[in-house]
Amino acid sequence: MNVSGFLLYRLNLVDRQDLFTQKPVQNDSDLVEIFESAANERFDVTKQGRRSGYKRALRNVLSDSLGSGRSFISAIFSCEISSRRGYIG
């Protein structure tokens, strides 16, 4: 059974000097820059277990602002099953 849906997350910024970049995250554009750079194949995470393999990735980062001056970032978090071993009935 295929199930599609949306998950919404809210990120709270905890500022640390060495969290993502050399400079601290000071505004929304800095945070958007981090998400856009993370949506690169270099940062995909591949995991191979005994029976299956997965690849997790961040793609299609978009940012915009609502009328009230509040900004948002939209992204696709994907999980690809790259291999699976077991009985096929």
Side-chain angles (χ1 to χ4, degrees):
M1 178 168 91
N2 267 343
V3 177
S4 296
F6 294 95
L7 298 173
L8 299 176
Y9 296 95
R10 177 181 174 172
L11 298 177
N12 293 320
L13 179 62
V14 177
D15 194 14
R16 284 184 18 206
Q17 288 283 351
D18 61 343
L19 187 59
F20 294 109
T21 60
Q22 300 295 338
K23 61 179 183 166
V25 178
Q26 295 179 346
N27 53 37
D28 291 343
S29 62
D30 291 343
L31 191 60
V32 170
E33 184 180 320
I34 290 170
F35 270 84
E36 287 174 344
S37 65
N40 186 320
E41 286 185 24
R42 294 182 331 184
F43 300 113
D44 291 357
V45 176
T46 304
K47 241 182 172 176
Q48 183 66 45
R50 282 188 350 203
R51 295 187 172 209
S52 57
Y54 299 93
K55 179 178 170 183
R56 299 182 193 273
L58 176 70
R59 295 288 187 271
N60 296 353
V61 176
L62 301 171
S63 64
D64 204 351
S65 178
L66 301 173
S68 61
R70 296 178 56 168
S71 301
F72 68 91
I73 300 172
S74 166
I76 294 177
F77 293 95
S78 69
C79 178
E80 170 189 336
I81 299 173
S82 56
S83 65
R84 185 176 281 174
R85 208 179 333 162
Y87 175 73
I88 300 174

